[in-house]
Each structure stands twice: as structure tokens, then as C-alpha cells.
Amino acid sequence: MFVFNTEASAGGGGFTMIIMIVVMIAVFYFLIMRPEKKKKKEEEKLRSSLKVGDKITTIGGIVGKIVEMKDENITIETSMDRVRMELAKWSVMTNNTAQENAQKARAEAQAAAKARAEQKKKEKEEKKKEKKL
């Protein structure tokens, strides 16, 4: 006959195990699944924002300029020889045109912030001069 120890099973052993499993699932979700979903969402946004004239880089490392777009395919021109290739949209890794525009906008914003800081500095110096007089 089997005799169960009711004191051991009545303790928190089972409850602790459930909590550990829940914690592990939460860690798995926040460290692996959530960032992956975020990455896929950004990639989908990138691919849906493509337009004719954008310079792109594919997953395979091919660099070209989009000349035609269809539902799920794009046609790009590579090099000065005007070699045209038809590729699937999912093969696009980066939109170089968008990255260049973002860098220009960042540089302009930094220049504007620097100009504002210099203007404030000049105003402070002028106020100090007026107080001295």
C-alpha cells in the first residue's frame, strides 16, 4: 500500500513550482518573443513604406534603386549598367534613402539646438553687461 505524506503535499511545494513556471514563461516572453514581434513589426513597416526611387539593400547584400513596384515584388536597378532585377519585397533589409534622410534630419536638429544654445548664451552675456552698466 502507498502511504501519502499529507504534510509534505499540504506545504507550498506545488504552489512554488507553479510560480516558477509562470516566472519562466514571463521571462521567455519578455526576453525572446516580445522583441521578435517588435522586430517583425518594424520590418513590415519598412517594407510597406518602400516607394519608387528609394535606394535599398537586400538580405543578400544587393544594393539598388527601386524602379518599379508590384504587389509582393519590386524591380531594382543595380550599378551603372542598369541591370534590372525583380525581387520579393520580403528580401529588403534596409531602406538606405530613409536612413540618409533620418541622418540629415538628426544633423539639422542638432545644428538648430546648437544655434539656440548659442543664442541663449549671447542673451545671458548681454544681460550681464546691462547689469554691470
Side-chain angles (χ1 to χ4, degrees), residues 40 42-51 59 69 89-93:
K40 282 184 180 182
E42 288 173 3
E43 288 174 351
E44 189 60 38
K45 182 180 173 186
L46 165 89
R47 292 178 183 129
S48 66
S49 69
L50 293 174
K51 58 187 180 292
I59 293 170
M69 293 187 68
K89 271 189 183 180
W90 62 262
S91 68
V92 176
M93 184 174 68

Side-chain angles (χ1 to χ4, degrees), residues 40 42-44 46-48 50 55-66 68-78 85-96:
K40 282 184 180 182
E42 288 173 3
E43 288 174 351
E44 189 60 38
L46 165 89
R47 292 178 183 129
S48 66
L50 293 174
K55 293 180 184 176
I56 60 152
T57 303
T58 67
I59 293 170
I62 299 170
V63 179
K65 182 178 177 182
I66 299 176
E68 185 181 345
M69 293 187 68
K70 297 178 184 172
D71 291 335
E72 293 299 317
N73 295 327
I74 59 172
T75 305
I76 65 169
E77 275 186 0
T78 62
M85 301 171 92
E86 187 169 350
L87 305 167
K89 271 189 183 180
W90 62 262
S91 68
V92 176
M93 184 174 68
T94 57
N95 184 344
N96 301 338

